[in-house]
């Protein structure tokens, strides 16, 4: 919904003129004269007060008909970590066995309270929990490589094996001597907003926009089906997925090669495979998919399995339309679905367009 409080509008307009970095992601401003929407730090010429509309979310600006500004790229940069927080995150990833304390954060010019609020808002966990997850993930890899639990514990900053074992079991559900599988989740930005990618040792098992309504349910289902907890971290599959997604949004990739790990019933598996058979730039309806599966009467079952897909874009459920060609439900929102279809059509060779 657009912001209507006059005092808040005045405050936000002052922040827009001042390019206030602390307002990045707080509001999105639609410019009536150009049809674009921006974040607070946009370098473009500032519009007059009567020509702007403020929104609390970029999705609302898109739904209102505004398109992302090419100067400030609001859907990418609004949810990227501010420079000081990004520096702290980079340090954790480069030093996964160490712990960055509140005192050390202050020495680096970062407010522990500020980074705590940012992590709760964008990751749903504290910064210290984020660090613990990285330490445990690194320890898990070392244990699988044959290293002794005691050596791993001491090298990971724990004073005792018991303390390490308690934290390890709390996060992974198993003891260091009986390592189980974990699912690693990583957050990255795209032109349509930030996404979560989650992967097992076998491949990507989830790829969703972070504002997906059913996300918490999908997390619980994945942990139950794969019998593994979800930890913050990265592996080869999450990194490859992020790389291939960047190429997709740049219009240079039409097929994905990253490995997938998609737990589901045999019927769901067949529906998801059929989705991947819909060509880039093409569309299908549920009836087409049911026909392709050799079961023309299973239209509703196909639609249900399509909605249960947890790996968006790579398993392209956005390419399924209503029988009359209308947009149907999409977990990421109909505006994103239309954007993805337009994006693919724009990058499809003209001789392949029907």
């Amino acid at each position: 919904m657009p912001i209507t409080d006059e005092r808040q509008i005045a405050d936000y307009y002052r922040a827009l003129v001042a390019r206030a970095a602390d307002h990045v992601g707080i509001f999105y401003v639609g410019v009536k004269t150009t049809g674009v929407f921006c974040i607070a730090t946009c370098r473009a010429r500032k519009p007059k007060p009567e020509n702007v509309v403020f929104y609390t979310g970029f999705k609302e600006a898109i739904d209102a008909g505004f398109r992302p500004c090419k100067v400030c790229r609001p859907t990418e940069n609004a949810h990227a970590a501010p420079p000081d927080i990004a520096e702290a995150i980079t340090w954790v990833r480069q030093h996964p066995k160490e712990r960055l304390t509140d005192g050390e954060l202050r020495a680096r010019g970062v407010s522990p309270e500020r980074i705590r609020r940012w992590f709760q808002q964008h990751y749903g966990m504290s910064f210290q929990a984020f660090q613990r997850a990285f330490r445990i993930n690194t320890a898990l890899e070392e244990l699988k490589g044959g290293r002794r639990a005691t050596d791993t514990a001491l090298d990971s900053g724990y004073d005792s094996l018991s303390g390490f074992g308690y934290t390890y079991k709390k996060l992974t559900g198993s003891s260091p001597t009986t390592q189980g599988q974990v699912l690693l989740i990583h957050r990255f930005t795209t032109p349509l907003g930030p996404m979560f990618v989650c992967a097992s040792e076998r491949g990507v098992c989830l790829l969703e926009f972070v504002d997906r309504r059913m996300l918490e349910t999908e997390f619980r289902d994945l942990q139950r089906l794969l019998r593994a907890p979800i930890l913050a971290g990265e592996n080869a599959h999450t990194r490859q997925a992020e790389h291939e997604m960047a190429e997709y949004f740049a219009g240079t990739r039409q097929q994905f090669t990253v490995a997938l790990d998609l737990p589901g019933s045999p019927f769901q598996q067949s529906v998801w495979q059929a989705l991947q058979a819909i060509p880039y730039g093409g569309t299908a309806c549920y009836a087409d998919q049911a026909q392709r599966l050799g079961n023309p009467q299973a239209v509703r079952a196909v639609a249900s399995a399509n909605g249960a897909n947890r790996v968006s874009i790579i398993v392209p459920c956005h390419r399924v339309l209503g029988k009359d060609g209308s947009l149907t439900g999409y977990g990421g929102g109909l505006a994103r679905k239309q954007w993805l279809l337009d994006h693919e059509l724009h990058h499809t060779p003209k001789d392949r367009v029907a």
Side-chain angles (χ1 to χ4, degrees):
M1 296 292 292
I3 295 169
T4 56
D5 182 87
E6 293 296 330
R7 181 178 298 179
Q8 193 172 28
I9 290 173
D11 289 341
Y12 283 178
Y13 186 78
R14 283 192 291 271
L16 177 67
V17 173
R19 298 180 185 171
D22 60 347
H23 278 65
V24 171
I26 301 299
F27 67 74
Y28 299 81
V29 56
V31 183
K32 300 175 186 177
T33 52
T34 61
V36 303
F37 71 97
C38 309
I39 52 177
T41 53
C42 186
R43 302 188 311 276
R45 183 178 177 182
K46 302 306 174 188
K48 295 179 179 179
E50 61 267 27
N51 291 330
V52 298
V53 183
F54 290 97
Y55 299 89
T56 55
F58 71 83
K59 196 173 179 182
E60 297 160 343
I62 292 175
D63 289 343
F66 293 100
R67 62 186 185 278
C69 171
K70 293 184 177 179
V71 176
C72 64
R73 296 182 296 172
T75 53
E76 290 183 61
N77 295 328
H79 291 275
D84 54 345
I85 296 177
E87 182 180 346
I89 294 173
T90 299
W91 188 93
V92 171
R93 288 175 173 155
Q94 292 175 346
H95 306 84
K97 295 184 179 182
E98 301 178 41
R99 180 173 176 266
L100 197 56
T101 66
D102 285 358
E104 290 168 334
L105 283 170
R106 291 191 181 93
R108 292 169 175 268
V110 181
S111 163
E113 295 75 22
R114 169 175 156 81
I115 196 170
R116 192 176 300 125
R117 286 193 299 269
W118 192 91
F119 261 82
Q120 288 291 354
Q121 180 180 356
H122 295 279
Y123 276 85
M125 67 172 69
S126 69
F127 180 59
Q128 299 303 333
F130 177 78
Q131 293 192 76
R132 282 196 298 272
F134 261 82
R135 290 204 303 277
I136 291 298
N137 180 45
T138 301
L140 177 63
E141 293 302 312
E142 291 186 352
L143 291 170
K144 288 181 177 178
R147 197 176 188 202
R148 291 196 315 147
T150 302
D151 294 338
T152 300
L154 297 176
D155 198 30
S156 298
Y158 290 88
D159 295 329
S160 66
L161 181 59
S162 61
F164 170 69
Y166 173 80
T167 304
Y168 187 100
K169 188 170 185 178
K170 184 178 180 181
L171 292 178
T172 69
S174 61
S175 69
T177 55
T178 57
Q179 311 107 38
Q181 178 182 212
V182 297
L183 308 177
L184 297 179
I185 190 166
H186 172 62
R187 182 182 182 277
F188 66 99
T189 57
T190 78
L192 290 184
M195 299 186 79
F196 280 128
V197 58
C198 188
S200 67
E201 294 177 348
R202 293 182 293 273
V204 170
C205 51
L206 180 141
L207 179 67
E208 294 281 22
F209 291 100
V210 300
D211 57 3
R212 169 94 156 97
R213 287 185 179 180
M214 298 298 292
L215 199 56
E216 291 298 327
T217 299
E218 290 185 337
F219 287 157
R220 288 195 297 269
D221 289 345
L222 269 182
Q223 292 179 99
R224 173 179 55 83
L225 291 167
L226 294 177
R227 298 180 181 179
I230 295 176
L231 293 180
E234 301 172 52
N235 64 14
H237 301 305
T238 63
R239 286 187 286 269
Q240 183 179 348
E242 182 178 1
H243 177 73
E244 292 189 4
M245 287 295 291
E247 293 179 334
Y248 169 84
F249 279 110
T252 59
R253 175 175 290 276
Q254 299 185 357
Q255 294 183 335
F256 296 93
T257 61
V258 64
L260 301 178
D261 184 8
L262 309 177
S265 69
F267 180 77
Q268 288 176 323
Q269 296 278 353
S270 66
V271 170
W272 299 335
Q273 289 173 9
L275 283 174
Q276 294 174 75
I278 303 174
Y280 181 96
T283 58
C285 66
Y286 294 127
D288 294 333
Q289 295 299 86
Q291 187 72 41
R292 177 174 293 175
L293 294 170
N295 191 353
Q297 305 305 315
V299 176
R300 288 190 177 182
V302 166
S304 177
N306 189 81
N309 171 38
R310 304 179 194 89
V311 180
S312 63
I313 301 178
I314 293 178
V315 180
C317 52
H318 64 277
R319 295 176 191 162
V320 178
L321 304 176
K323 193 172 184 179
D324 60 356
S326 61
L327 293 181
T328 54
Y330 183 61
L334 293 183
R336 283 195 180 113
K337 182 169 185 171
Q338 186 63 65
W339 190 98
L340 292 169
L341 293 173
D342 292 342
H343 172 74
E344 293 184 0
L345 190 61
H346 177 73
H347 290 94
T348 300
K350 296 297 184 287
D351 58 356
R352 280 180 46 198
V353 178

